[in-house]
Amino acid sequence: MKKLFLVVILSVASVYMLGQTAKQVTAYNYMQSGDFLKARDAIEEAAVHEKTAEKEKTWRYRGQIYQNLAVNDTEVDKLTAVKESLRSYKKAMELDTKDAWKAENYDQGYAQVQMLAVNYGIVAYNETNYRGARDYFVVAADAAEAVGVVDTMALYNAGLAAEQAEEYDSALALYQKTAETGYLEGKMYIFMANVAEKKGDNDKYLAVLQEGRKKYPNDTDLIVYELNFYLRNNKFEEAERNLKLAIEKEPTNKQLHFSLGVVYDNLGMKDKAIKSYNDAIAIDADYFDAVYNLGALYFNQGVEMNNAANDIQDIKKYNEARAAAKDVFKQALPFLEKAHELDSTDLGALTSLSQLYALLGDNEKYLKIKAEMDTNK
């Protein structure tokens, strides 16, 4: 897993002492001397005192004190300190109706809390404390939002941390918010689909992919992800529509042609399946999956014809039906032999080929393949 890297934390802004009440002065003096715990105790009294509870300066100092508590090695929980610092700056901004201290609260306070939260989020993530990392990154995004900025990296990192923590509902919500910014475009919807899959929520999986498809209709990865959902759930008609669209965008993608062949195979559209498998083989003559499936299709078709022939009472018609089945078996032969050549250990190809040699009466080749099968057991 890649590690996240720290950014530089700015120093705490300087403050002024004009017109302070006793508790504000006390809190400020303790902060200046580095006794941040006593500074906290003093400012908390000021924050609830009737004369200072609604003063901008009280909350500005409080923001700076909690910021220092977060930065320095104290008994205070760092995440709590970061959150309280941000809350304090927000309160100070609300009370500063004339923007007299905007630079200290808005420009410096928010920015410093944001970088502090990002740094601690990175540390927590690299230490595999994913829940803590998520909470720090959420604070960072909140601080950015307070100044009218969307911190897409903080939102994304928060979602990533939540996913690592297996907090899937939280991860989905954070990824959704990130996706709404346009960050990483269609990839965000794939990330959401993966989370929904981990959660076992098929409806959500499909919903986020369809939402992504509407927003990024030309994103091939989204098309393929939606396709895989349809294939896994045997929704072959929906899969066919998706595959045709995907092939229009990637006509030389052998896997798409092969997958379309699988869809047609399952829908009983043998001629279309044969064409799609052949299209895949035309792109890559050594594409095992397409070669084997085409051979298997002919082989299964021959078996069906052979079984049907056994129900015919008329000898002439019976012989004609068996001969037609044999012709289809012969069509399967080069593809199954090619599949065996490409992967001599594949049990499916070995089994089909042994049965085919037996049906065609080629006893020598049957015994050879049978010996290979016994060796590979």
Side-chain angles (χ1 to χ4, degrees):
M1 181 183 298
K2 293 184 178 179
K3 287 186 175 291
L4 305 177
F5 296 95
L6 300 178
V7 295
V8 177
I9 303 174
L10 299 178
S11 60
V12 177
S14 61
V15 295
Y16 301 91
M17 295 185 61
L18 299 176
Q20 301 176 95
T21 64
K23 285 299 178 183
Q24 289 173 332
V25 172
T26 301
Y28 173 81
N29 287 337
Y30 278 134
M31 179 170 60
Q32 289 297 90
S33 65
D35 196 337
F36 304 116
L37 290 174
K38 287 183 179 179
R40 176 199 61 185
D41 293 341
I43 204 64
E44 291 296 11
E45 289 187 44
V48 296
H49 195 279
E50 60 181 8
K51 291 185 177 180
T52 51
E54 296 301 313
K55 297 293 184 181
E56 176 276 336
K57 188 175 296 182
T58 299
W59 293 94
R60 173 161 37 93
Y61 286 0
R62 190 177 187 273
Q64 293 170 347
I65 289 167
Y66 271 100
Q67 186 177 328
N68 277 294
L69 286 168
V71 171
N72 292 277
D73 188 16
T74 68
E75 63 189 39
V76 176
D77 177 70
K78 291 186 183 298
L79 177 59
T80 300
V82 171
K83 288 181 176 179
E84 287 302 313
S85 181
L86 178 59
R87 185 171 76 87
S88 299
Y89 284 128
K90 286 184 175 181
K91 180 73 172 178
M93 281 297 298
E94 291 174 10
L95 297 171
D96 187 16
T97 56
K98 296 183 179 179
D99 288 342
W101 296 92
K102 182 179 178 181
E104 286 76 4
N105 292 315
Y106 190 87
D107 299 328
Q108 296 176 21
Y110 284 162
Q112 291 174 4
V113 169
Q114 182 188 14
M115 282 193 286
L116 192 61
V118 167
N119 280 346
Y120 283 142
I122 291 169
V123 170
Y125 187 92
N126 289 337
E127 292 177 349
T128 68
N129 175 15
Y130 298 122
R131 287 185 178 85
R134 176 208 45 200
D135 293 343
Y136 277 119
F137 288 129
V138 167
V139 173
D142 191 13
E145 188 175 345
V147 295
V149 176
V150 178
D151 189 340
T152 52
M153 278 302 299
L155 282 172
Y156 170 73
N157 285 339
L160 179 61
E163 182 179 357
Q164 293 292 334
E166 299 183 358
E167 299 279 354
Y168 296 134
D169 288 336
S170 176
L172 282 169
L174 289 161
Y175 280 157
Q176 180 69 48
K177 195 169 183 179
T178 308
E180 289 168 3
T181 70
Y183 182 68
L184 295 181
E185 299 182 336
K187 287 184 175 62
M188 287 308 309
Y189 292 92
I190 289 175
F191 297 153
M192 283 191 277
N194 287 334
V195 172
E197 185 174 21
K198 290 177 181 178
K199 189 183 173 188
D201 190 340
N202 279 343
D203 292 339
K204 184 66 175 178
Y205 180 96
L206 183 58
V208 296
L209 289 176
Q210 290 177 334
E211 181 185 341
R213 285 284 311 282
K214 287 179 183 178
K215 197 168 183 179
Y216 304 103
N218 295 320
D219 191 306
T220 304
D221 289 337
L222 286 172
I223 294 172
V224 172
Y225 259 71
E226 188 178 359
L227 163 67
N228 288 336
F229 172 84
Y230 292 137
L231 290 175
R232 287 199 304 269
N233 291 278
N234 297 323
K235 296 186 175 185
F236 296 114
E237 291 179 0
E238 293 91 337
E240 179 192 7
R241 288 196 296 270
N242 260 46
L243 278 166
K244 286 181 175 179
L245 180 60
I247 288 171
E248 285 179 12
K249 301 180 187 308
E250 292 188 62
T252 60
N253 188 322
K254 66 182 181 181
Q255 292 175 321
L256 295 178
H257 289 285
F258 167 74
S259 296
L260 186 58
V262 171
V263 168
Y264 285 136
D265 217 339
N266 280 279
L267 289 173
M269 300 178 178
K270 302 302 182 186
D271 290 342
K272 288 187 175 182
I274 290 169
K275 180 183 182 306
S276 293
Y277 289 144
N278 276 318
D279 287 342
I281 293 168
I283 296 168
D284 181 359
D286 294 332
Y287 185 18
F288 173 85
D289 291 340
V291 171
Y292 173 73
N293 271 32
L294 185 52
L297 184 153
Y298 282 125
F299 176 77
N300 291 334
Q301 188 175 1
V303 169
E304 290 174 6
M305 293 171 67
N306 219 28
N307 291 338
N310 291 331
D311 295 331
I312 298 174
Q313 301 299 317
D314 185 285
I315 295 297
K316 182 180 178 181
K317 290 182 179 179
Y318 166 79
N319 289 332
E320 289 174 351
R322 288 293 299 267
K326 189 173 184 178
D327 287 340
V328 175
F329 284 136
K330 288 179 180 178
Q331 286 181 283
L333 185 60
F335 295 106
L336 290 177
E337 287 180 332
K338 175 71 172 180
H340 177 56
E341 177 188 328
L342 292 170
D343 186 353
S344 61
T345 64
D346 185 83
L347 186 59
L350 282 168
T351 302
S352 297
L353 200 52
S354 68
Q355 292 174 352
L356 185 56
Y357 285 140
L359 288 165
L360 291 174
D362 193 331
N363 193 53
E364 181 180 345
K365 288 185 177 180
Y366 167 76
L367 291 174
K368 182 180 177 182
I369 289 293
K370 191 72 168 57
E372 286 188 43
M373 292 175 65
D374 292 340
T375 302
N376 287 325
K377 282 182 179 179

